[in-house]
Every structure is written in C-alpha cells, then in structure tokens.
Amino acid sequence: MMMAGSVRGNDLGETVLTISTGYDPGYLTRAVATGRENYYLSAVAEHGEAPGIWTGAGCLELGLVIGSEVDAAVMERLYGAFLDPRDPDAKATLGRAPSGFGGLDDKIACRIKALLAAEPDATPERRDELIMRALSERRAPVFFFDVTFSVPKSVSLLHASLQLQAQQARENGQADEADMWEQCAQAVWDEVMAANQAMLDYLQREAGYSRAGYHGKGSGRFVDAHEWVIASFPQHTSRDGDPQLHVHNAILNRVLRDDPLAPEGRRMAWRTLDGAGLYAARPAGGAIAERVLAEQLTARLGVEILAGRTATAGR
C-alpha cells in the first residue's frame, strides 16, 4: 500500500517520550470503558479508545498472553495492589505487599479542606487546582511507570486527514474509496505501534535491572530483569481533544529476577524495577521510536520527510 504524503522533517524532533510514576491504573482503563467527548472521530467518541494490550516479555509468566486485550479488573488488581492474577483467591501478591501509608486518606482530606478554606471565593477551576495540589503531595507506593510515546503532530494530522477522507467517501457512497483510506489510516497506527514496541524492546534490554543488597552502604548490586509486565494503551487525542496519537505503556514496578534470599527451593522472586536506569534510557528510547516511525511510514506509505511542510494525504 503506497500513497504520497509529507511529514515535516523538523516536526520529527517533537516526538516525545515521557516517564511518570503511576498510582492509579483506573485512568487508563476508564478511558477505554467510557470514552470522552470531542474526539475527532465519531467511532472513538461512541465507543471509547481501543482496549489496551499486553506487550511486555514478562506477561507470560503471569499467564497474560502477549497481544491479548487487557482485562480492566485484572489490571486494576495487579497494578493497584500487586495481586497475582494467577491466584484464584486474589490474595497472593508479587513480592512484598505495598505499604498502605497509614492514615493517608485522612491526611489528604484534611489538606484539601485546609486549602479550600484558605480560598473560600475560589472559582471551580481554582478549586480543582487546589485539590490536585493536595493529591500531588501525597506519599504513595509506585505501582507502575507510565512511559508515554507521543508521535509528531504532523503524523497525528496525517492520520486524522485519512480518517476524514474515509468518512467523507463513505458518506458519498464510495465504499471502495473509503476502504482504501481506512487501510491507510490503520497503516499509520500499525507503524506507531511498531515504533512503540521497538522502544519498549530497547528499554527492556538496556534498562532491565533490579537492585539487590544495600546500595547506600556500597554493598549493593544490579540484577538482570529484562522481562517486564507491560500494558500498552493507544490513544487518539490530547487532553484538549486535539488529534494526538500516543501510547501509554504501563510498566509494572515488579520484575522477576534471581534472588538468593528467596524462599527455599525458589531462586526467583518478584522485586522492584530500577527506576533510575529506566529514566536514564529515556532519551535513547525516544530516538529509536522516532527513527523507526519515520522509516516505517516511508517504506509502507511512501510518506516523505520534508522540511517546512505539514502532513498531507493524497494519492
């Protein structure tokens, strides 16, 4: 499938790979279940985003099939409490159970109340800001890392234009034409996901380590842990509702690694991922995703990388 089009060459520098710590997996699963208003495609607005898929090499250890859809209930137990999905009683945890940080909810509630009381005339927007400030101050266990790959804006616009042309062709009774545009739009997503996977493969290979021992006292060491549990969620828009193709990759903060202190008869244990190594590998991971995306779009769709041009679609 080949088509003519262009993506701004200088726009490729806008490819973004961000990493943030995650506490609530529900913000990903809820987007799938309910959808949001103002998506640029009616299908997305009506049905929500596409389901997430399991992508990490460590998923198989937990009975999660790579490429299969993420079950919201399973993910929220796993990413919200480290509950082992293989346990039918939902009681066994992967490694040590997370700390509850006693009294956390009460402390946050008091903090919110104090901030709101200090500004009784605050607008609804300001009240939201104050609440978010209080929530950001809470101390909570890191359940996962959200590694988000966002493509250049011109690629998002290319995808949006292809979808729009498909919709217009279908409304005009041109079924074959519509199918062609839809296939091109899907090809863009396919290459975004290919670039995302290349990035994840690199991170697992180069940043796949867990810490053992007491690093603060100089006796610690790093242990190989290259097979991660990852749930990837492709999404179409920014928070402002603008076209913005991006993929949230929720990397579980538990990795299976060799552990001489594990219970007798078991040398493998679930331990935390070395976050410092993950952050250090971010720039290279982003560069790999960017290069793979550019090469794949050119090879599959004939897209040209041109300086000073916006993304366009044509035949």
Side-chain angles (χ1 to χ4, degrees):
M1 181 191 307
M2 297 292 288
M3 54 168 282
S6 64
V7 172
R8 271 192 341 199
N10 54 356
D11 184 47
L12 287 175
E14 296 175 11
T15 299
V16 176
L17 186 66
T18 61
I19 301 176
S20 60
T21 51
Y23 310 99
D24 176 20
Y27 80 92
L28 292 171
T29 56
R30 285 192 295 268
V32 172
T34 62
R36 283 178 281 169
E37 300 297 331
N38 302 321
Y39 280 111
Y40 64 89
L41 289 177
S42 60
V44 177
E46 292 172 5
H47 305 296
E49 290 285 9
I53 57 173
W54 297 110
T55 55
C59 292
L60 293 177
E61 181 67 29
L62 298 179
L64 306 171
V65 179
I66 295 175
S68 65
E69 291 185 4
V70 171
D71 180 280
V74 170
M75 181 178 178
E76 291 184 17
R77 289 194 297 267
L78 177 59
Y79 281 72
F82 297 133
L83 292 176
D84 192 332
R86 298 167 297 182
D87 179 17
D89 297 325
K91 295 180 179 179
T93 61
L94 301 179
R96 188 176 62 183
S99 170
F101 297 100
L104 175 64
D105 291 341
D106 290 340
K107 292 176 183 178
I108 293 300
C110 289
R111 176 62 171 155
I112 291 173
K113 184 177 180 179
L115 288 173
L116 295 179
E119 298 187 31
D121 298 325
T123 64
E125 292 77 13
R126 176 59 177 164
R127 291 173 65 86
D128 287 344
E129 290 179 5
L130 294 173
I131 292 172
M132 290 306 296
R133 180 197 298 179
L135 291 175
S136 69
E137 296 172 358
R138 63 183 174 179
R139 183 174 176 233
V142 176
F143 286 105
F144 62 95
F145 296 93
D146 182 354
V147 176
T148 303
F149 169 47
S150 298
V151 308
K153 191 66 174 182
S154 57
V155 175
S156 295
L157 294 176
L158 172 63
H159 179 265
S161 68
L162 292 169
Q163 291 281 50
L164 180 59
Q165 292 191 71
Q167 180 176 304
Q168 292 174 341
R170 201 162 296 285
E171 290 173 351
N172 293 331
Q174 301 170 315
D176 291 343
E177 186 91 354
D179 289 344
M180 185 273 291
W181 290 123
E182 287 174 355
Q183 290 174 23
C184 289
Q186 182 58 49
V188 173
W189 253 124
D190 290 345
E191 304 321 325
V192 170
M193 294 304 292
N196 183 72
Q197 190 59 50
M199 175 270 296
L200 291 178
D201 290 343
Y202 171 81
L203 292 181
Q204 288 178 97
R205 183 175 66 251
E206 299 299 327
Y209 296 95
S210 179
R211 295 188 178 199
Y214 299 95
H215 283 249
K217 298 181 179 179
S219 61
R221 61 191 176 90
F222 290 93
V223 183
D224 287 299
H226 303 289
E227 297 185 347
W228 298 351
V229 178
I230 308 173
S232 297
F233 291 80
Q235 297 190 345
H236 290 74
T237 70
S238 67
R239 291 183 178 180
D240 296 326
D242 296 326
Q244 182 58 61
L245 305 186
H246 61 286
V247 187
H248 287 279
N249 300 284
I251 300 172
L252 187 70
N253 193 23
R254 284 289 187 272
V255 286
L256 189 62
R257 66 166 173 83
D258 180 73
D259 188 349
L261 299 180
E264 185 176 353
R266 297 174 55 191
R267 285 298 302 272
M268 303 297 288
W270 291 93
R271 296 292 184 261
T272 58
L273 179 67
D274 175 39
L278 176 62
Y279 282 97
R282 182 192 62 80
I288 288 171
E290 172 187 310
R291 179 53 51 194
V292 170
L293 178 61
E295 292 179 351
Q296 293 289 94
L297 288 175
T298 298
R300 186 167 178 184
L301 294 177
V303 171
E304 296 180 80
I305 310 300
L306 301 176
R309 293 281 300 279
T310 56
T312 60
R315 279 186 277 175

